[in-house]
Amino acid sequence: GAGVSQSPRYKVAKRGQDVALRCDPISGHVSLFWYQQALGQGPEFLTYFQNEAQLDKSGLPSDRFFAERPEGSVSTLKIQRTQQEDSAVYLCASSLERRLAGGSGTGELFFGEGSRLTVL
Amino acid sequence: AQTVTQSQPEMSVQEAETVTLSCTYDTSESDYYLFWYKQPPSRQMILVIRQEAYKQQNATENRFSVNFQKAAKSFSLKISDSQLGDAAMYFCAYRSLHASGGSYIPTFGRGTSLIVHP
């Protein structure tokens, strides 16, 4: 598609339920990032993929959070046994590889509209 | 790790006037990108302007311009002739040009909420 697509846009879960959030990046974008954004705050890094490889997952807050990108395109962020503190907007962003990494990108991230998760 | 600081949680401006949003960052690197992103309420984040650290000339995009002071590690955004549609959260972001290390991951400030009064 023309832009980064995320689904669902809104998700309400009962505490303890598992949720899965999907991200479809811009075609050809090598890098994919997941961020968590609390209300009124800036995006906080969760995890980063280069193609299908998860190169950095240092921002995942607990082992209840899991992300994958098995074919190097669509990515899924899964949260198991959701807690109220997981309530946030989950942003997905993609980018071309940067010039010094051999790509033609300019470092810019292209964001989806986000998935707003509310845990009751 | 790199940090990005936006010290103004909220700024107000009258329509048609000029406003400057502040951003400072901390890095030991010499090659990096700096960005300003705009996030309207309940809408997606979009790029406003980008600056490459090796370029001394300040970036400009129509009514948006930056004041990049590399030695001071300062990167402010100036919005001229403010419009009602400029009302949004503005985030400053840093990204290293180098693939190694965590600074390759874009780091964002906490944001400044811009209110535009008619």
Side-chain angles (χ1 to χ4, degrees), chain A residues 4 9-10 31 33 35 37 40-43 45 48 50 56 91 95-101 105-113 116, chain B residues 31 33 35 37 39 42-47 50 52 54 89 91 95-111:
Chain A
V4 178
R9 287 290 314 279
Y10 303 93
S31 298
F33 301 84
Y35 285 84
Q37 186 177 26
Q41 301 296 316
F45 169 73
Y48 158 61
Q50 182 174 312
D56 192 323
L91 299 174
S95 72
L96 288 168
E97 277 301 321
R98 299 154 307 136
R99 288 180 290 107
L100 291 184
T106 54
E108 174 187 356
L109 262 60
F110 294 81
F111 283 87
E113 293 187 330
R116 182 180 296 278
Chain B
D31 296 322
Y33 292 111
F35 306 92
Y37 284 88
Q39 188 179 40
S42 299
R43 297 186 65 183
Q44 73 191 112
M45 196 170 312
I46 58 172
L47 180 70
R50 171 183 53 240
E52 300 188 40
Y54 72 89
M89 285 290 290
F91 294 97
R95 188 178 191 187
S96 173
L97 259 67
H98 300 284
S100 63
S103 60
Y104 176 65
I105 309 297
T107 301
F108 290 80
R110 298 184 66 169

Side-chain angles (χ1 to χ4, degrees), chain A residues 75-101:
Chain A
S75 177
T76 303
L77 176 67
K78 299 179 180 178
I79 309 173
Q80 297 176 325
R81 305 181 303 280
T82 52
Q83 303 294 317
Q84 285 186 325
E85 61 263 29
D86 300 336
S87 296
V89 175
Y90 290 86
L91 299 174
C92 177
S94 67
S95 72
L96 288 168
E97 277 301 321
R98 299 154 307 136
R99 288 180 290 107
L100 291 184

Side-chain angles (χ1 to χ4, degrees), chain B residues 10-117:
Chain B
E10 186 177 286
M11 291 286 284
S12 292
V13 64
Q14 289 292 132
E15 195 175 7
E17 294 189 345
T18 296
V19 64
T20 298
L21 308 184
S22 300
C23 173
T24 58
Y25 57 94
D26 182 28
T27 186
S28 59
E29 298 179 331
S30 59
D31 296 322
Y32 49 87
Y33 292 111
L34 294 165
F35 306 92
W36 279 99
Y37 284 88
K38 171 185 178 182
Q39 188 179 40
S42 299
R43 297 186 65 183
Q44 73 191 112
M45 196 170 312
I46 58 172
L47 180 70
V48 174
I49 199 164
R50 171 183 53 240
Q51 176 81 41
E52 300 188 40
Y54 72 89
K55 292 184 178 179
Q56 294 186 348
Q57 185 173 6
N58 289 324
T60 299
E61 290 287 342
N62 299 312
R63 298 183 294 108
F64 299 86
S65 62
V66 298
N67 183 4
F68 173 47
Q69 301 289 331
K70 190 173 184 179
K73 299 177 184 175
S74 171
F75 183 60
S76 60
L77 175 69
K78 185 171 81 171
I79 305 174
S80 303
D81 185 25
S82 296
Q83 301 176 359
L84 295 177
D86 295 334
M89 285 290 290
Y90 286 82
F91 294 97
C92 179
Y94 170 101
R95 188 178 191 187
S96 173
L97 259 67
H98 300 284
S100 63
S103 60
Y104 176 65
I105 309 297
T107 301
F108 290 80
R110 298 184 66 169
T112 297
S113 177
L114 179 64
I115 299 168
V116 182
H117 297 287

